[in-house]
Amino acid sequence: MKKYFAELFGTFWLVFGGCGSAIFAAGYPELGIGFVGVSLAFGLTVLTMAYAVGHVSGAHFNPAVSIGLWAGGKFDGKELIPYIISQLIGAILAASALYFIVSGKADFESIGGFAANGYGELSPGKYSMQSAFLAEFLLTMFFLLIILGSTYPKAPKGFAGIAIGLALTLIHLISIPITNTSVNPARSMSQAIFAGGEYLTQSWLFWVAPIAGAIVGGVIHKTLFSKD
């Protein structure tokens, strides 16, 4: 149970910190943190929780990562469902907390996009479904390669959390204008539930593309780079 609670808390922190920065601080008049700030926030959530609970659960905080590690031969398939459920619960609890906070603003009218992911008209840059799918696929694939490579036994010890956190920062710097950046089905699902409407109907892409990319990344690492 400790592993599942670690995944719950870690995913909560990722969604609360990353999406919270987008909701509250990104567009703040004159002092907003913008795309760079939000990218750093997402990276820092993973970096900090990797060191906080990584020794307990492996610090996945993402269904696609869990599936990609399984595809790469680094995770027991029997743990997939409990991990994914824990991640989804953590993400939804974080989104609930964000909703409670944002709805307490004096001039609150609507949560708007609520940092949800989307394509077409819901894409920040109005990118097509095909563009969104390819971006999410490739970025998650490389994310898995970085995770598997930095945690490989022959990699420098103690630096994996930094590499993974910076990788997630880079991923957001690239793709916030395209999809608002997912690479994480739990993060996407939690925000779509509250944003509703088309955000919810488009959420399929942010399950399929990241998971497909993660599986390919896991297989590439297992085939080309692992001597296990």
Side-chain angles (χ1 to χ4, degrees), residues 12-90:
F12 181 102
W13 187 235
L14 185 152
V15 172
F16 189 81
C19 294
S21 70
I23 292 167
F24 302 122
Y28 202 83
E30 298 181 8
L31 298 174
I33 61 174
F35 286 173
V36 174
V38 174
S39 300
L40 281 170
F42 272 101
L44 289 170
T45 61
V46 170
L47 189 155
T48 51
M49 272 294 161
Y51 288 107
V53 300
H55 60 285
V56 179
S57 68
H60 300 187
F61 316 144
N62 180 339
V65 168
S66 297
I67 293 170
L69 292 175
W70 165 77
K74 300 297 183 181
F75 189 60
D76 188 347
K78 292 184 292 186
E79 296 276 25
L80 277 177
I81 298 301
Y83 263 58
I84 292 170
I85 290 172
S86 301
Q87 293 154 0
L88 285 169
I89 292 172

Side-chain angles (χ1 to χ4, degrees), residues 207-225:
W207 281 89
V208 176
I211 288 174
I215 290 171
V216 172
V219 171
I220 289 173
H221 175 85
K222 185 177 181 179
T223 305
L224 298 181
F225 304 127

Side-chain angles (χ1 to χ4, degrees), residues 7-214:
E7 285 298 302
L8 187 155
F9 284 114
T11 312
F12 181 102
W13 187 235
L14 185 152
V15 172
F16 189 81
C19 294
S21 70
I23 292 167
F24 302 122
Y28 202 83
E30 298 181 8
L31 298 174
I33 61 174
F35 286 173
V36 174
V38 174
S39 300
L40 281 170
F42 272 101
L44 289 170
T45 61
V46 170
L47 189 155
T48 51
M49 272 294 161
Y51 288 107
V53 300
H55 60 285
V56 179
S57 68
H60 300 187
F61 316 144
N62 180 339
V65 168
S66 297
I67 293 170
L69 292 175
W70 165 77
K74 300 297 183 181
F75 189 60
D76 188 347
K78 292 184 292 186
E79 296 276 25
L80 277 177
I81 298 301
Y83 263 58
I84 292 170
I85 290 172
S86 301
Q87 293 154 0
L88 285 169
I89 292 172
I92 292 168
L93 287 174
S96 302
L98 291 172
Y99 178 82
F100 182 84
I101 295 168
V102 76
S103 62
K105 197 170 184 290
D107 58 352
F108 173 76
E109 293 181 1
S110 164
I111 61 171
F114 205 54
N117 303 114
Y119 55 83
E121 288 302 311
L122 301 185
S123 159
K126 303 297 184 283
Y127 286 85
S128 69
M129 180 183 71
Q130 293 85 352
S131 296
F133 193 100
L134 183 59
E136 291 290 330
F137 176 90
L138 289 173
L139 291 169
T140 315
M141 183 187 78
F142 276 95
F143 194 35
L144 260 293
L145 287 172
I146 292 164
I147 292 169
L148 286 162
S150 63
T151 56
Y152 194 68
K154 292 186 177 181
K157 304 297 181 185
F159 295 99
I162 297 172
I164 294 165
L166 289 176
L168 192 59
T169 299
L170 175 58
I171 285 167
H172 280 77
L173 287 171
I174 295 166
S175 61
I176 288 177
I178 304 170
T179 61
N180 227 11
T181 309
S182 171
V183 302
N184 185 336
R187 169 261 189 273
S188 296
M189 200 70 226
S190 64
Q191 303 312 112
I193 288 170
F194 284 86
E198 285 192 70
Y199 287 107
L200 200 54
T201 60
Q202 290 188 5
S203 63
W204 68 269
L205 186 144
F206 303 104
W207 281 89
V208 176
I211 288 174

